Amino acid sequence: MTKNAIVLGAGIVGVSTAVHLQRRGRQVTLIDRKPPGSETSFGNAGLIQREGVVPYGFPQQLGLLIRYAFNNRIDAHYHVKTLPGQLAFLARYWWNSNAKRHEMISRAYAPLIEHSISEHNDLIEASNAQHLIRKNGWMEIFRTASRRDAEFAEAERLRAEFGVAYEQLDAAAVARLEPHITGDFVGGVRWRDPWSVLDPYGLTMAYRSYFESLGGKYVSGDANSLGRSGTSWRVVTSVGSLDAEDVVLALGPWAAVATRRLGYSFPLGVKRGYHMHYAAANNATLHNWTLDTERGYLLAPMSRGIRLTTGAEFAALDAPKTPVQLDRAEKVARTIFPLGERLDPEAWMGARPCTPDMMPIIGKAPRHDGLWFAFGHAHHGLTLGPVTGRALAEVITGEKPFIDISGYSPQRFL
């Protein structure tokens, strides 16, 4: 008999996991309380970051920490009232970001990143989503020689240690690549391996359609209804109660709540982020996904317009929007590129689920049979969705996973 499986959470990680389980002969139901791809997976920077082998660490330099304390930056912002409740998470995040620990974590993280392009390519071709993809990398541009030289050195280290391809750009090269960007930029790095996505939501929808073409089903339901039913798991949905031998929690920033109900206590934090789409004024064209490195915002030429994305906001998951970073970023961005009017009625906001060691939680629940976790991907949810989905599906169905996922085990936090 065909075994049933449920995937809770219909973002890019959940949809990818559902695809790979369905491919392997499971009858999969994908469940979310909202339409697929409409939460965190909707609002990212649209990059499949093959170069991103080094996860985003917590600043270590005292001078930089002092500057962040003023809470007036684009790349980071915090809610003062919620900061006390986040101190334990931030302290562990800071400790794991010291040079020695961060290097160890990067080496453990690299196998996930290494396969990000190839695993996306598999699903892109299967779902006929090639029209959503560009394969020309992305670039960082620098305002100071000191930052440029430091980033050149780091890029060379990543090339030597992890095989990441890049190109050094002088000021003239930046101007040739982006003739409508102005300002005193002294150079840049063009990362050659990554792919960019013209519509991240559209990509998730393409994968969802492919999943359904394989016989998978999506229904609305609430993860809070998850419970045991004999030797199976049961979830209440819009079409009634559904039972399955295996259930995957791919709930992103809401995973902490769902797992706590089951007796687990993971140190899962959130980094909220914002975006806005703009028209381009004066017939200007932006060709590349471009990071204004020292200021901490990114401009991306997407299908819906030029998307401006911000850094991280440390706040409660359910706190009201405070898009001050977006306003700060827009003010700076207008000085380097002719942005036109805003195209969205309000700023979009999403929340990245983060662990203090910067690596996702992937694997079997330590105290429950048939329960599996796939969350905590921080800034790389889009990048790592298909890699995670394949590796976890292989473990669930008794195959040897194509990469070793033991380093991402939930056991490390228990």
Side-chain angles (χ1 to χ4, degrees):
M1 293 180 62
T2 300
K3 291 186 177 180
N4 293 331
I6 288 171
V7 177
L8 292 172
I12 190 68
V13 175
V15 171
S16 298
T17 304
V19 165
H20 280 286
L21 283 170
Q22 190 73 29
R23 277 180 166 183
R24 287 162 175 77
R26 297 297 173 92
Q27 181 54 56
V28 183
T29 304
L30 181 66
I31 299 174
D32 204 315
R33 61 183 179 180
K34 291 188 177 181
S38 61
E39 291 282 7
T40 306
S41 295
F42 183 89
N44 52 73
L47 287 169
I48 304 171
Q49 287 191 259
R50 169 62 183 90
E51 93 296 346
V53 292
V54 178
Y56 294 93
F58 196 94
Q60 301 288 293
Q61 303 88 348
L62 179 60
L64 185 55
L65 289 172
I66 291 173
R67 290 197 292 274
Y68 279 119
F70 286 101
N71 209 19
N72 59 3
R73 297 175 62 93
I74 295 171
D75 56 344
H77 179 71
Y78 60 88
H79 287 190
V80 175
K81 290 183 178 180
T82 59
L83 197 59
Q86 298 177 322
L87 287 179
F89 170 83
L90 293 174
R92 293 177 69 175
Y93 183 19
W94 172 82
W95 182 80
N96 278 306
S97 299
N98 71 66
K100 183 177 180 180
R101 289 283 303 162
H102 202 219
E103 182 180 356
M104 292 172 56
I105 288 167
S106 296
R107 293 189 179 280
Y109 193 59
L112 283 171
I113 294 291
E114 180 182 355
H115 295 278
S116 57
I117 296 293
S118 58
E119 291 306 310
H120 262 288
N121 186 57
D122 172 25
L123 298 190
I124 288 165
E125 291 187 350
S127 61
N128 296 313
Q130 296 92 335
H131 62 287
L132 296 174
I133 305 300
R134 289 186 178 176
K135 302 180 180 180
N136 59 347
W138 68 285
M139 70 177 188
E140 301 180 55
I141 54 177
F142 311 117
R143 295 171 178 265
T144 62
S146 59
R147 185 63 181 266
R148 177 199 63 197
D149 294 345
E151 295 294 341
F152 282 177
E154 175 67 0
E156 178 56 25
R157 183 183 75 84
L158 296 182
R159 184 202 64 77
E161 295 187 21
F162 301 104
V164 172
Y166 75 98
E167 177 185 356
Q168 292 186 7
L169 307 173
D170 59 18
V174 170
R176 285 195 300 272
L177 287 168
E178 292 297 346
H180 292 112
I181 285 183
T182 58
D184 296 327
F185 292 101
V186 299
V189 166
R190 185 173 187 177
W191 300 103
R192 299 169 63 95
D193 297 320
W195 291 358
S196 47
V197 183
L198 291 166
D199 182 356
Y201 172 73
L203 188 65
T204 303
M205 290 300 95
Y207 291 177
R208 179 243 178 124
S209 295
Y210 171 56
F211 162 68
E212 292 177 332
S213 76
L214 296 173
K217 297 179 180 179
Y218 165 77
V219 299
S220 62
D222 192 337
N224 288 326
S225 67
L226 175 66
R228 295 295 278 176
S229 175
T231 59
S232 298
W233 293 92
R234 175 170 293 174
V235 179
V236 178
T237 76
S238 58
V239 297
S241 296
L242 299 180
D243 290 359
E245 291 85 351
D246 293 292
V247 61
V248 177
L249 295 188
L251 294 167
W254 295 275
V257 176
T259 54
R260 193 175 300 120
R261 291 181 57 252
L262 298 168
Y264 298 93
S265 181
F266 292 112
L268 198 67
V270 294
K271 295 180 185 178
R272 305 200 313 179
Y274 298 85
H275 83 229
M276 173 62 66
H277 292 103
Y278 299 82
N282 305 323
N283 295 316
T285 301
L286 183 70
H287 299 283
N288 295 275
W289 273 243
T290 304
L291 176 69
D292 186 350
T293 307
E294 281 103 333
R295 297 296 184 264
Y297 66 91
L298 183 138
L299 294 172
M302 292 192 177
S303 300
R304 298 168 183 261
I306 296 174
R307 179 178 290 187
L308 186 156
T309 66
T310 67
E313 180 182 65
F314 295 91
L317 177 61
D318 57 353
K321 292 180 182 180
T322 52
V324 294
Q325 291 164 283
L326 183 66
D327 295 336
R328 295 168 186 162
E330 180 183 319
K331 183 177 180 180
V332 176
R334 288 188 181 280
T335 68
I336 73 163
F337 186 85
L339 292 176
E341 70 275 16
R342 288 186 169 192
L343 300 178
D344 303 323
E346 62 178 347
W348 179 90
M349 183 192 76
R352 311 172 185 98
C354 306
T355 64
D357 67 1
M358 293 158 279
M359 294 196 297
I361 295 171
I362 307 171
K364 182 184 180 299
R367 295 191 291 271
H368 293 86
D369 291 332
L371 180 63
W372 308 86
F373 297 150
F375 52 83
H377 292 77
H379 296 263
H380 287 151
L382 174 63
T383 296
L384 298 179
V387 177
T388 299
R390 176 182 169 183
L392 186 58
E394 288 172 339
V395 173
I396 292 172
T397 57
E399 299 177 41
K400 181 180 179 180
F402 79 112
I403 58 171
D404 180 7
I405 63 171
S406 59
Y408 323 122
S409 170
Q411 191 70 49
R412 71 188 193 272
F413 291 122
L414 301 176

